[in-house]
Amino acid sequence: MRQAFADGLVQREQLWITGKLWNDCHEPHEVRPALERTLADLGLEQLDLYLIHWPLAQRRGVAMASSPEQQLSLEQVPLAATWAAMEALVDQGLTRHIGVSNFSGAKLKALSAGARIRPEALQIERHPLLQQNDLIAWCRENGVVVTGYGPLGSSGANRPPLVLQHPQVLALAAQRGLTPAQLLLAWGINGGTAVIPKSLQPARLAENLAAAGEMLDGELMARLTALDEGRRLIEGRVWCLEGGPYTLESLWNGELVPGG
């Protein structure tokens, strides 16, 4: 980025750069140093958006918890305390906006209720098989911008790409003259969310970008919306003090006890 700025290829103001606070930096005194490390790594003075990556805390230096002892309970590190430190980052000019990622509606509403600066953005898994429309409606009513990650679904080591190869997606994409990926991205954008597909291949990057200008009619949107199964495809497990591990689905649905 520094070279691109120096060459005049792009100006900093033309880029939107988002960072995330990892789980081992939730203690309030760790929040600013974590962002400062990100800024140093990127060669920047300010982010556009900084997100709490997950609504759970780990002990400092733990990249991925593998035992309950490596977790910190919400009583030890309340989300409200972490959020207050996030608010201070805005005051200090280190990020323009703050938000959260992987928060359920209940957690987002609770955090918003006591916040001085309410969360401005929410990043969640979203595709036609997992739409979370009630949560998105609440965000729209309360001025929270939603970004859908995994908009093309997620294929695990032993699982095919269930969204990209869904028969309805294939048929509707062919009918509309789009690739399946373009149809899925256009569905997300037409539904009022940002989408963040990932690719390192220039041809696919161009294909994905071309979807931004595609408008889908009401019937096509409705047929894709009818595919909702509430099916989470991003896999993973978390440990908590009560024993774990728990699936991310359990964490999202609030099935962990308050200290977990």
Side-chain angles (χ1 to χ4, degrees):
M1 287 192 295
R2 283 191 293 268
Q3 190 63 50
F5 297 153
D7 292 346
L9 178 65
V10 67
Q11 298 177 357
R12 170 65 184 92
E13 294 74 20
Q14 295 175 289
L15 300 179
W16 181 277
I17 302 176
T18 299
K20 289 183 176 179
L21 179 75
W22 188 239
N23 305 334
D24 70 334
C25 294
H26 275 217
E27 293 184 274
H29 68 277
E30 296 284 2
V31 173
R32 176 168 177 156
L35 177 52
E36 289 176 333
R37 287 190 293 272
T38 293
L39 292 173
D41 289 343
L42 297 174
L44 299 173
E45 296 181 355
Q46 183 186 60
L47 291 183
D48 296 291
L49 175 64
Y50 199 46
L51 305 174
I52 297 179
H53 201 139
W54 284 97
L56 57 91
Q58 298 168 179
R59 297 191 181 280
R60 185 73 184 97
V62 175
M64 295 294 292
S66 58
S67 70
E69 292 76 19
Q70 294 177 331
Q71 295 287 135
L72 296 171
S73 74
L74 293 178
E75 294 173 349
Q76 292 173 287
V77 188
L79 286 172
T82 304
W83 187 253
M86 294 281 287
E87 293 172 329
L89 300 177
V90 178
D91 300 335
Q92 295 153 5
L94 298 179
T95 183
R96 295 171 55 217
H97 305 280
I98 50 177
V100 297
S101 176
N102 299 304
F103 274 50
S104 66
K107 289 183 173 67
L108 178 58
K109 292 173 186 177
L111 187 64
S112 297
R116 178 171 60 87
I117 301 174
R118 300 180 70 185
E120 300 172 88
L122 170 67
Q123 189 177 116
I124 51 173
E125 179 185 351
R126 189 171 194 260
H127 42 73
L129 298 186
L130 179 69
Q131 298 181 26
Q132 309 195 70
N133 291 322
D134 289 344
L135 175 55
I136 289 174
W138 185 91
C139 288
R140 186 176 294 116
E141 293 171 0
N142 289 273
V144 180
V145 177
V146 177
T147 295
Y149 71 76
L152 308 182
S154 174
S155 54
N158 300 309
R159 186 182 64 233
L162 300 179
V163 182
L164 274 173
Q165 292 183 0
H166 193 287
Q168 275 283 81
V169 171
L170 294 175
L172 294 172
Q175 174 186 318
R176 183 60 172 71
L178 300 173
T179 67
Q182 288 176 326
L183 179 71
L184 293 169
L185 297 177
W187 172 81
I189 295 169
N190 280 233
T193 65
V195 292
I196 46 173
K198 295 189 291 186
S199 178
L200 297 176
Q201 301 180 33
R204 286 186 177 172
L205 290 170
E207 174 188 320
N208 292 342
L209 186 59
E214 295 292 339
M215 298 298 296
L216 306 183
D217 61 37
E219 179 183 354
L220 187 50
M221 289 290 291
R223 292 177 68 179
L224 287 168
T225 299
L227 301 180
D228 194 8
E229 300 177 3
R231 186 171 187 178
R232 202 170 302 278
L233 299 178
I234 306 299
E235 294 183 331
R237 293 182 179 274
V238 294
W239 289 83
C240 82
L241 298 180
E242 284 65 35
Y246 290 82
T247 65
L248 296 184
E249 185 81 9
S250 296
L251 175 66
W252 180 268
N253 290 333
E255 295 169 12
L256 305 190
V257 297

